[in-house]
Amino acid sequence: KNEVEQSPQNLTAQEGEFITINCSYSVGISALHWLQQHPGGGIVSLFMLSSGKKKHGRLIATINIQEKHSSLHITASHPRDSAVYICAVLPLMDSNYQLIWGAGTKLIIKP
Amino acid sequence: ETGVTQTPRHLVMGMTNKKSLKCEQHLGHNAMYWYKQSAKKPLELMFVYNFKEQTENNSVPSRFSPECPNSSHLFLHLHTLQPEDSALYLCASTSAPGLAIYEQYFGPGTRLTVT
């Protein structure tokens, strides 16, 4: 079992829908990252958070440290949001500062 | 040019070939990483260089050989690869691997196909 689990693995929705992608992890962490990977490969960091909630434009990320769970929400989704969304965590007490990666959620937004 | 660049973007090589992947970062970062991304799998960390010194080698086969001549450049030398090595190879950099504030900047990746 991977230490970072994302759900769903695949998600297809219509333009304008509210999107939620979930990330659960089993280790104590000092930070959690949400990243976006478009077709073609490049990965872009969206959020890095260790508590509470962050918002950037139509994207919202929340984290519940006690429940070891984070969600990424997209409001008013658009076809350009189609991408793979990846969750990664930085474990506590990791002297090498290596991230543990989820397998990603592939999101397709249809016009 | 800004950010993290990788060349080539696509590479097809035979199992007996020798090739190299190049990564360059223009962000003034101190640490650089090689990742392998296979289909439907999480990213796999391969190597970490911190101030040009290799600090991590995640049991990577010796047919992959990294080189970090300075803080801005990172190479991955490839020889006698296997078809299962076909994947997207991503380079990343960060400024402060020793802090809790830790954000990696990624290059576009090299799509490698081993025939």
Side-chain angles (χ1 to χ4, degrees):
Chain A
K1 187 179 188 299
N2 197 19
E3 291 169 295
V4 178
E5 295 281 350
Q6 287 186 237
S7 63
Q9 288 186 325
N10 295 282
L11 178 57
T12 300
Q14 290 297 129
E15 182 174 357
E17 286 189 39
F18 181 80
I19 303 299
T20 295
I21 298 171
N22 296 299
C23 176
S24 296
Y25 51 91
S26 57
V27 298
I29 67 168
S30 57
L32 180 144
H33 298 252
W34 280 104
L35 306 103
Q36 180 191 58
Q37 185 174 29
H38 277 285
I43 294 178
V44 175
S45 179
L46 298 175
F47 295 104
M48 182 174 60
L49 63 165
S50 55
S51 64
K53 176 179 173 179
K54 286 190 176 181
K55 184 175 188 291
H56 181 70
R58 294 181 294 106
L59 300 176
I60 303 166
T62 64
I63 188 168
N64 185 317
I65 294 293
Q66 287 72 32
E67 294 185 3
K68 293 186 167 62
H69 181 268
S70 175
S71 293
L72 177 69
H73 305 285
I74 305 175
T75 61
S77 59
H78 190 275
R80 64 175 174 266
D81 297 325
S82 298
V84 175
Y85 292 85
I86 304 171
C87 171
V89 302
L90 180 63
L92 284 170
M93 309 303 291
D94 185 324
S95 60
N96 289 321
Y97 302 94
Q98 292 185 32
L99 294 171
I100 302 175
W101 296 81
T105 294
K106 184 174 182 179
L107 174 66
I108 298 173
I109 303 296
K110 293 186 174 180
Chain B
E1 191 164 4
T2 59
V4 182
T5 58
Q6 288 187 243
T7 54
R9 294 292 308 276
H10 300 271
L11 178 62
V12 179
M13 60 187 288
M15 289 190 282
T16 58
N17 291 157
K18 288 185 181 181
K19 296 286 184 183
S20 295
L21 310 184
K22 179 182 177 182
C23 175
E24 187 172 359
Q25 57 95 0
H26 308 273
L27 301 167
H29 289 168
N30 304 318
M32 297 184 77
Y33 308 77
W34 279 118
Y35 286 95
K36 176 184 178 183
Q37 187 180 36
S38 303
K40 301 191 188 303
K41 287 186 177 180
L43 268 72
E44 301 171 51
L45 180 65
M46 300 175 73
F47 301 104
V48 181
Y49 276 83
N50 194 1
F51 289 98
K52 301 186 295 178
E53 298 297 321
Q54 188 181 123
T55 58
E56 191 67 31
N57 175 339
N58 263 0
S59 303
V60 180
S62 59
R63 57 186 184 268
F64 294 91
S65 174
E67 179 190 1
C68 187
N70 55 61
S71 294
S72 299
H73 294 84
L74 184 65
F75 295 89
L76 188 63
H77 303 300
L78 316 170
H79 64 98
T80 59
L81 294 191
Q82 303 298 310
E84 60 264 29
D85 297 322
S86 299
L88 181 69
Y89 289 83
L90 289 157
C91 174
S93 70
T94 188
S95 60
L99 299 178
I101 306 298
Y102 176 96
E103 185 166 2
Q104 291 187 352
Y105 292 79
F106 285 84
T110 295
R111 175 69 62 184
L112 174 66
T113 303
V114 181
T115 60

